[in-house]
Amino acid sequence: MKSLLFLSGYALITYLPSSIAYPGMKDSLSDLHRAANVPRADAKQLIGDLKTLKDTQLTTIGKDIKAIILGTKDARSNTIDTSVPPGTVDSAACKADLCCVWKWISYEMTARFNGTSGRCTKLARGAVRLGFHDAAVWSNTTTYGGADGSILLTDEISRSDNNGLSAIGDQMKTWYNKYHQYGVSMADLIQMGANIATVVCPLGPRIRSFVGRKDNAKAGPTALIPDVADSADKIIKLFAAKTIDVHDLVALVGAHTTSQQHFVDTSRDGDPQDSTPGVWDVAFYGQTTGSPPPRVLKFASDVKLSQDTRAKTEWQQFIGAQSHWNEDYAKAYTRLSLLGVNNINDLKECTQVLPPERTAFVNEDQVVLDMWLQGQFNQLNNMVDDAIMLTGIITTNP
Ligand code: HEM
Ligand SMILES: *[C@@H]1O[C@H](CO)[C@@H](O)[C@H](O)[C@H]1NC(C)=O
Ligand SMILES: *[C@@H]1O[C@H](CO)[C@@H](O)[C@H](O)[C@H]1NC(C)=O
């Protein structure tokens, strides 16, 4: 849908806002197509303690997580607790309620992740990527690593894989230093951060959020994070060894819908991976295979993946299909966020602390955004990064 609009250049300024306002318009068509033509990928693999526990041994949450990662249960939830926490974080009432500390953390994270333009901020996008980079340092041949907080508890963060993550890393350490005394692990803080960031991004799914992961102060194994120059085959194999199949991989890279790169091409610092950075829409899929405006910088790895015969069909199906993608992303991310976790059956749920999802978004600064996308206003890059409304900037930077 959107890539068609981009082909006729003049239509950009006029029509983009309304296209953003209709998430999921192609969904019913896509669902039909999916049911008719596409056999589901190979059976999903179990992970962690779920591999050995019998169904009769599973807790309610253990059962739910098993069903989510096997693909039979939705990973999203609108269960929300709008009441104020029972007390300040160090009160007895708060300490008696497992999710109370997470409610305070959610308030703090939401304030840093929600931009004044209504887009999610650079810190939010960093939090999503940080969640990926902590959890993905695991494979079926490693005996440690995964969603264990090690990216920030060790010097993992200084590996070149993690270029661009220092600001969110520092912020996460500040939160950890404040909340660790209330029983919060770094591993949970990072994954809760990713889920809060995702739902703060307009159109992002509200992913069920579990806590109780254990930290590991040992740096994870190397060579497990994909590189932008990798072939599709290499990336597919790398994720397969993490139990993430091609379908889930295609859903996960859609996170680049929010992204603005800094290190892939340093001469184009701040250039986005689709025309709507900071918005959790599906424009990324169509624009990676299509002809987006000049400022959009496609990652070579995304282009290769979109063309690979194993990935192509699913890639095409996410184009214009917001709720299909949100559903699949939520399941795939739940799996990713539990790699290396061997006490899944003992986790607890604090989904209710997440802010509500936002199912519509209109770019109020569309006219200026379009000029930026066409290559004007280079100096605005970092301001777009911080998701400050462009119309506000143009008056102070004529
Ligand atoms: C499949 C292979 C992947 C490769 C090769 C890759 C590579 C990259 C690169 C090179 C950047 C730009 C970093 C910079 O220059 O600042 C980036 C950004 C990002 N990636 Fe990925 N990525 C992959 C998968 C994923 C997955 C699975 C997720 C999340 C589930 C993810 C989430 C993000 C996010 C949110 C950003 C934006 C960060 C920002 O705007 O500051 N990526 N990725
Ligand atoms: C984020 O900001 C937008 C626009 O300013 C607002 O509508 C939305 O409610 C905020 N979200 C949260 C969770 O506070
Ligand atoms: C790890 O995953 C890869 C890719 O799915 C598979 O070929 C390999 O047999 C697995 N190894 C183990 C030890 O499970």
Side-chain angles (χ1 to χ4, degrees):
M1 181 70 201
K2 235 182 262 173
S3 57
L4 281 180
L5 289 175
F6 278 106
L7 290 178
S8 51
Y10 81 92
L12 259 176
I13 290 174
T14 320
Y15 294 130
L16 240 183
S18 53
S19 76
I20 302 240
Y22 293 106
M25 63 206 301
K26 235 182 74 180
D27 281 356
S28 45
L29 189 65
S30 153
D31 287 344
L32 281 176
H33 183 77
R34 187 160 44 137
N37 300 330
V38 186
R40 290 315 287 189
D42 7 306
K44 304 275 186 191
Q45 293 176 54
L46 290 173
I47 49 174
D49 49 325
L50 296 180
K51 274 163 61 176
T52 48
L53 290 171
K54 298 190 187 80
D55 279 350
T56 51
Q57 296 173 290
L58 295 180
T59 58
T60 308
I61 285 175
K63 279 186 196 128
D64 278 4
I65 294 177
K66 181 171 178 178
I68 289 168
I69 68 170
L70 292 179
T72 59
K73 196 173 183 107
D74 201 327
R76 297 166 298 173
S77 165
N78 280 322
T79 302
I80 188 159
D81 177 5
T82 51
S83 65
V84 294
T88 56
V89 75
D90 50 5
S91 67
C94 197
K95 286 177 180 165
D97 170 357
L98 173 86
C99 296
C100 178
V101 60
W102 288 107
K103 183 93 189 210
W104 288 109
I105 292 170
S106 176
Y107 288 148
E108 247 191 271
M109 287 183 166
T110 300
R112 300 305 308 271
F113 292 164
N114 204 8
T116 50
S117 66
R119 299 183 183 89
C120 56
T121 60
K122 180 179 177 177
L123 272 184
R125 282 131 40 198
V128 173
R129 186 163 173 243
L130 185 72
F132 164 46
H133 282 214
D134 190 37
V137 175
W138 181 87
S139 92
N140 61 1
T141 57
T142 60
T143 53
Y144 64 103
D148 63 358
S150 65
I151 193 169
L152 295 177
L153 295 169
T154 71
D155 64 358
E156 252 183 68
I157 190 71
S158 59
R159 295 177 184 170
S160 62
D161 291 337
N162 297 323
N163 274 349
L165 289 174
S166 62
I168 184 62
D170 290 347
Q171 174 64 76
M172 215 45 98
K173 285 179 191 170
T174 302
W175 284 327
Y176 178 77
N177 290 335
K178 181 167 173 185
Y179 292 109
H180 179 55
Q181 58 185 305
Y182 305 108
V184 168
S185 70
M186 184 68 97
D188 283 342
L189 194 64
I190 290 172
Q191 296 308 328
M192 188 62 101
N195 285 2
I196 291 172
T198 301
V199 73
V200 167
C201 294
L203 314 190
R206 197 164 179 282
I207 305 175
R208 287 181 68 181
S209 299
F210 305 101
V211 295
R213 292 173 190 78
K214 292 178 179 158
D215 281 344
N216 188 347
K218 181 174 173 187
T222 54
L224 292 170
I225 296 292
D227 188 86
V228 72
D230 286 345
S231 68
D233 191 58
K234 183 171 177 192
I235 291 175
I236 288 171
K237 286 180 176 145
L238 191 66
F239 277 79
K242 302 182 198 302
T243 77
I244 295 172
D245 62 18
V246 182
H247 171 277
D248 284 3
L249 166 60
V250 172
L252 287 170
V253 295
H256 291 160
T257 184
T258 58
S259 172
Q260 285 179 253
Q261 70 87 31
H262 306 281
F263 293 94
V264 176
D265 182 343
T266 50
S267 74
R268 294 180 56 180
D269 187 16
D271 279 6
Q273 280 55 72
D274 74 6
S275 61
T276 51
V279 182
W280 200 271
D281 61 9
V282 282
F284 163 79
Y285 288 104
Q287 292 183 6
T288 299
T289 56
S291 312
R295 192 178 294 277
V296 172
L297 187 156
K298 301 180 191 180
F299 290 160
S301 50
D302 290 334
V303 172
K304 289 175 195 159
L305 200 56
S306 73
Q307 294 167 346
D308 187 275
T309 48
R310 292 158 288 184
K312 209 175 182 165
T313 310
E314 197 59 36
W315 195 286
Q316 289 295 327
Q317 292 201 0
F318 287 139
I319 298 175
Q322 182 79 46
S323 71
H324 175 195
W325 176 51
N326 278 11
E327 178 184 345
D328 291 5
Y329 181 90
K331 282 179 186 154
Y333 194 83
T334 300
R335 171 186 292 277
L336 177 63
S337 73
L338 294 169
L339 295 181
V341 177
N342 292 314
N343 61 333
I344 294 176
N345 199 37
D346 302 323
L347 298 182
K348 302 285 185 281
E349 180 162 14
C350 288
T351 307
Q352 68 268 29
V353 306
L354 266 60
E357 62 179 347
R358 286 158 65 197
T359 53
F361 179 70
V362 176
N363 286 311
E364 288 176 29
D365 49 11
Q366 190 64 44
V367 174
V368 186
L369 182 64
D370 285 332
M371 291 166 89
W372 178 73
L373 289 165
Q374 291 303 322
Q376 301 181 44
F377 306 132
N378 285 321
Q379 77 280 9
L380 293 186
N381 270 351
N382 286 320
M383 303 198 184
V384 178
D385 244 359
D386 291 332
I388 291 168
M389 196 185 286
L390 288 165
T391 41
I393 289 159
I394 204 73
T395 55
T396 53
N397 291 289

